[in-house]
Amino acid sequence: MTETFKAPEGWTDLDRRAVDTARVLAADAVEKVGSGHPGTAVSLAPAAYLLYQDLMRHDPTDRNWLGRDRFVLSAGHSSLTQYIQLYLGGFGLEKQDLEELRTWGSKTPGHPENFLTDGVEITTGPLGQGISSAVGFAMAQRRERGLLDPSAAPGTSPFDHFTYVIASDGDLQEGVSSEASSLAGTQQLGNLIVLWDDNEISIEGDTSIAFTEDTAARYEAYGWDVRTVDWTRGGSEYFEDVALLKAEILAAQQVTDKPTFIRLRTVIGWPIPELAGSHTVHGAKLGTEGVAGLKEVLGFDVEQQFQVDEDVLAHTRGLAERAAATKAEWEQGYQAWRAANADAATLLDRLRARELPSGFAEAFPSFEADEKGIATRAASGKVLNELAAVMPELWGGSADLAGSNNTTMKGEPSFLPEEHSSSEFAGDRFGRTLHFGIREHGMGSILSGISLHGLTRPYGGTFFQFADYMRGAVRLASLMKVPATYVWTHDSIGLGEDGPTHQPVEHLAAYRAIPNLSVVRPADANETAQAWKALLERDRGPVGLVLSRQAMPTFDRTEYAGAENLAKGGYIMKEASAEPKVILIATGSEVQYAAAAQKQLEAAGTPTRLVSMPSVEWFDEQDEAYRESVLPASVTARVSVEAGIAMPWHRFLGTHGRAVSLEHYGASADAKTLFREFGFTAEAVVEAAQESLAASGA
């Protein structure tokens, strides 16, 4: 142990030795595999140990304990910072797992993954995502508190806990963290505590080449409680004052009306001789001399790898015993709450089991056949209004487009501090309607955090074109299979006069390319209702609901197959009059043109099958027999109809198929004109069908 280390009161030499053990383990693990990020894990070992062994409320024997604090390693590249604490604390990792860092089949991948490693709350890696999703964790905790125990005084409810974050310079440079942090300040999230590892080093070296603003002042301007702990003492010496860091975190816990941002000034890689403070320790192994130098400074055996003294591990694994006492105290309060709040306890049990409420199936509206119809965005809004009373766990809003996205449940208060209410939106801290502001990327990350917190089901809306701004968050949600819902409206050139900057063209193909993401583009109001029903029943993986601005016909379901078939992804919407010779496959607002084309083809004597394919992903999940029954291989004359590029459809079309698609940007005009001018008409579909029939020889 270095002499420049001040432990909190109550820490022993075993705690100090455990911190140094964490440093050595980080160096050895990266050295063994030959790649990784050792520097931050070495210098942040005291802070990580403080959180895991001293401050956070959690239980290594019950990693899903309802009352636990949440921890987010936003600096996911420094995965060893978390892995080593999970090992020392007994959360399920063992020394062998550290030795297998970043190797095939290990529990210790290059970045933390919540679906792989016990004790990891969220997958992090792309910088900025962790801290941004942590805002969602904090928002979810407050909403859950409002659903279950709103009248308890702050800090007295079994549903009160903190979300802790370790963030890096890189996290705070990414724009998404600015979006989410700004909203966190507006929301006054006193349950969120961020530790910024301010070491002024990134992969390209000193951050002065690109990152020079007063970051602490920026967070103060956001409305955060800002504190500084400087282990560099202004650059004069290095002194790891862990006691002061603990005091600041404890003080932060008492700030209930602001999130807390603690600027922790460190030297990356401290105390590695010759290398501390260098960007070379950020993302590469230390080398034999570097590892040996670290071990010599700390008094470890240079010849021994992954050295963990038995008394050190016995001490750190004692966390379970200490946690048991804390948990027993929490359990007493929790049981008292259950006894006094029978209805809320019943709700909690349902939410924890992810069960749908009674009356769920009956809550969905049914829409009468109507040639004029309504926009699917409007139908979605009606569905949300009906679900509001049935599913209190369902909540959400929009990135400043609520009126256009139809994401506001009527009569529901906004989720925001009362003093931020407006004439249009009155709210309170436990409200239901979310306002993300014009922050699509931040919204995407926050939705993931809310969902991962565990009890509620969030949704967020924007124009489909602007989904590009949130793609990074959507991809990460898909990797984690987070059941968040994205309400993406204004789905095509059908939005009209706003022109090509707002009209999605390549977006359906681009989002269908993301594994685990379900893209659902309903054909009418009834398919929209069934889309909501299906995604809530599935409760797995993110779903993008792609909805229209313009009205489209509501199909007569006595003539066409029931919209409940949407749950299969694709279905025979109307069968041919005889063995089909051609199949028309359409989605969304273009189904109407395929339906009209079917009538024309049938009138001309060509048996034609109409298939609605709202979700390619859900169709792919069906067994081969079902897929063959909808799209039989024997019928090679096929036409896809969708107002976007045809890329996703070629695998269904085969050699003889034809696509009615949009392979260029749109224009500014009314929707009716654009569809006509760009070839989305029944006549264009008939022409494509005739071409396909000729090519197939049918």
Side-chain angles (χ1 to χ4, degrees):
M1 170 60 66
T2 61
E3 295 300 319
T4 55
F5 184 97
K6 183 178 181 181
E9 184 178 353
W11 280 28
T12 69
D13 286 341
L14 283 174
D15 292 300
R16 295 162 64 99
R17 185 68 170 176
V19 169
D20 287 342
T21 297
R23 303 184 206 260
V24 169
L25 287 173
D28 278 342
V30 174
E31 200 69 20
K32 183 176 185 294
V33 72
S35 67
H37 297 77
T40 299
V42 170
S43 51
L44 272 193
Y49 186 85
L50 172 69
L51 288 175
Y52 267 85
Q53 290 283 329
D54 195 338
L55 289 176
M56 284 201 297
R57 187 175 73 186
H58 52 182
D59 181 0
T61 69
D62 184 3
R63 292 178 285 276
N64 295 316
W65 172 27
L66 185 65
R68 72 191 184 281
D69 290 330
R70 307 301 201 267
F71 174 74
V72 176
L73 182 67
S74 195
H77 55 277
S78 185
S79 56
L80 283 164
T81 296
Q82 185 169 25
Y83 293 154
I84 292 168
Q85 296 307 320
L86 292 175
Y87 159 61
L88 292 175
F91 287 83
L93 291 183
E94 297 299 340
K95 186 161 66 173
Q96 181 180 346
D97 296 308
L98 302 180
E99 295 173 3
E100 295 173 350
L101 176 73
R102 298 168 71 97
T103 61
W104 176 262
S106 77
K107 298 178 182 178
T108 49
H111 293 80
E113 295 173 3
N114 67 321
F115 51 85
L116 188 62
T117 309
D118 287 342
V120 173
E121 300 279 359
I122 180 174
T123 297
T124 57
L127 290 172
Q129 291 295 331
I131 184 174
S132 302
S133 290
V135 174
F137 276 88
M139 291 169 70
Q141 184 271 321
R142 196 170 84 195
R143 171 64 180 167
E144 292 167 14
R145 167 76 135 73
L147 285 174
L148 300 168
D149 198 18
S151 61
T156 66
S157 172
F159 306 104
D160 286 331
H161 61 256
F162 295 99
T163 295
Y164 294 95
V165 180
I166 287 180
S168 64
D169 289 308
D171 287 299
L172 302 188
Q173 291 177 56
E174 287 285 359
V176 65
S177 65
S178 298
E179 293 184 17
S181 297
S182 173
L183 183 58
T186 297
Q187 286 290 346
Q188 301 176 5
L189 298 175
N191 53 353
L192 177 62
I193 299 175
V194 173
L195 273 64
W196 169 34
D197 179 27
D198 179 18
N199 60 36
E200 298 182 346
I201 290 293
S202 62
I203 289 175
E204 291 188 3
D206 196 306
T207 56
S208 63
I209 61 175
F211 186 48
T212 59
E213 81 256 16
D214 187 338
T215 309
R218 173 158 62 92
Y219 270 78
E220 189 170 0
Y222 287 153
W224 288 55
D225 166 48
V226 176
R227 301 166 181 271
T228 296
V229 176
D230 187 1
W231 285 355
T232 74
R233 294 196 169 182
S236 61
E237 63 173 327
Y238 200 73
F239 189 86
E240 293 174 310
D241 195 340
V242 186
L244 176 59
L245 178 59
K246 179 178 179 178
E248 293 291 357
I249 294 174
L250 290 175
Q253 292 177 354
Q254 303 306 309
V255 179
T256 60
D257 62 346
K258 294 181 179 181
T260 293
F261 182 81
I262 299 177
R263 179 194 186 198
L264 178 61
R265 289 284 291 117
T266 67
V267 171
I268 191 171
W270 179 269
I272 307 168
E274 307 299 327
L275 295 178
S278 167
H279 74 277
T280 59
V281 304
H282 171 81
K285 64 179 185 176
L286 304 180
T288 303
E289 291 185 6
V291 175
L294 175 64
K295 291 179 180 179
E296 287 176 354
V297 167
L298 299 178
F300 280 66
D301 184 349
V302 173
E303 300 301 322
Q304 190 173 346
Q305 280 74 50
F306 297 94
Q307 179 182 342
V308 181
D309 296 341
E310 291 183 4
D311 57 345
V312 168
L313 189 60
H315 177 67
T316 59
R317 293 281 171 97
L319 175 62
E321 184 177 347
R322 299 193 298 276
T326 301
K327 189 175 181 182
E329 181 180 355
W330 176 90
E331 185 69 24
Q332 185 176 1
Y334 173 65
Q335 292 302 330
W337 169 82
R338 289 189 69 92
N341 299 273
D343 290 344
T346 299
L347 172 61
L348 172 62
D349 292 342
R350 181 177 68 77
L351 298 184
R352 297 192 74 185
R354 305 293 289 186
E355 293 175 350
L356 294 168
S358 59
F360 170 79
E362 294 74 30
F364 293 88
S366 178
F367 298 87
E368 296 295 326
D370 182 355
E371 183 62 30
K372 183 179 179 181
I374 65 171
T376 50
R377 61 168 177 155
S380 174
K382 293 180 182 296
V383 172
L384 288 174
N385 286 330
E386 294 300 319
L387 285 173
V390 179
M391 291 191 71
E393 67 268 34
L394 182 65
W395 62 314
S398 170
D400 200 55
L401 292 167
S404 294
N405 297 150
N406 294 94
T407 50
T408 303
M409 297 175 177
K410 291 181 180 178
E412 295 291 338
S414 293
F415 179 88
L416 49 84
E418 290 86 343
E419 60 266 35
H420 293 321
S421 293
S422 69
S423 57
E424 293 85 6
F425 293 100
D428 60 66
R429 292 173 183 271
F430 300 141
R432 188 171 194 176
T433 301
L434 288 167
H435 304 285
F436 295 100
I438 308 168
R439 304 182 180 99
E440 292 88 357
H441 200 177
M443 176 178 72
S445 301
I446 289 167
L447 290 174
S448 291
I450 292 173
S451 185
L452 287 167
H453 198 267
L455 296 182
T456 63
R457 304 192 185 202
Y459 63 86
T462 187
F463 289 177
F464 193 27
Q465 162 67 23
F466 303 148
D468 275 357
Y469 284 147
M470 60 190 293
R471 187 178 177 89
V474 173
R475 183 183 186 275
L476 203 58
S478 301
L479 176 65
M480 294 184 284
K481 299 182 180 179
V482 171
T485 301
Y486 313 119
V487 181
W488 290 326
T489 70
H490 296 58
D491 65 339
S492 70
I493 54 171
L495 70 88
E497 293 84 351
D498 276 341
T501 62
H502 282 50
Q503 293 166 2
V505 175
E506 76 281 16
H507 295 68
L508 285 163
Y511 279 89
R512 287 186 182 125
I514 298 178
N516 301 333
L517 173 67
S518 298
V519 177
V520 185
R521 189 171 184 241
D524 70 352
N526 285 308
E527 277 198 5
T528 303
Q530 291 302 312
W532 271 108
K533 184 173 184 290
L535 73 87
L536 290 169
E537 289 175 336
R538 287 168 60 86
D539 193 29
R540 64 181 191 277
V543 176
L545 275 180
V546 183
L547 307 173
S548 73
R549 178 203 185 203
Q550 77 280 13
M552 60 183 71
T554 303
F555 290 97
D556 183 349
R557 294 295 168 166
T558 63
E559 177 183 358
Y560 295 94
E564 68 276 3
N565 289 291
L566 171 138
K568 297 177 180 178
Y571 65 99
I572 301 172
M573 190 169 175
K574 188 175 183 181
E575 187 55 283
S577 57
E579 190 72 21
K581 291 188 176 297
V582 63
I583 301 174
L584 309 181
I585 313 167
T587 78
S589 53
E590 292 76 72
V591 172
Q592 62 183 304
Y593 306 121
Q598 183 195 35
K599 293 181 186 297
Q600 293 183 25
L601 288 164
E602 286 280 355
T606 303
T608 304
R609 174 180 289 179
L610 174 65
V611 171
S612 177
M613 185 77 79
S615 177
V616 171
E617 296 78 22
W618 292 357
F619 183 70
D620 284 341
E621 290 178 359
Q622 308 308 310
D623 60 36
E624 184 178 355
Y626 176 78
R627 287 183 277 117
E628 174 66 16
S629 73
V630 177
L631 300 176
S634 59
V635 184
T636 61
R638 302 177 179 188
V639 178
S640 65
V641 191
E642 186 172 72
I645 64 172
M647 186 185 299
W649 297 106
H650 292 299
R651 67 186 176 96
F652 295 109
L653 295 176
T655 304
H656 304 136
R658 296 293 185 268
V660 177
S661 64
L662 191 66
E663 304 298 327
H664 53 77
Y665 294 114
S668 181
D670 65 276
K672 184 177 180 180
T673 298
L674 290 174
F675 277 110
R676 183 186 68 246
E677 293 297 324
F678 290 141
F680 291 95
T681 63
E683 291 70 27
V685 177
V686 169
E687 182 180 351
Q690 291 169 340
E691 290 181 9
S692 184
L693 283 162
S696 69

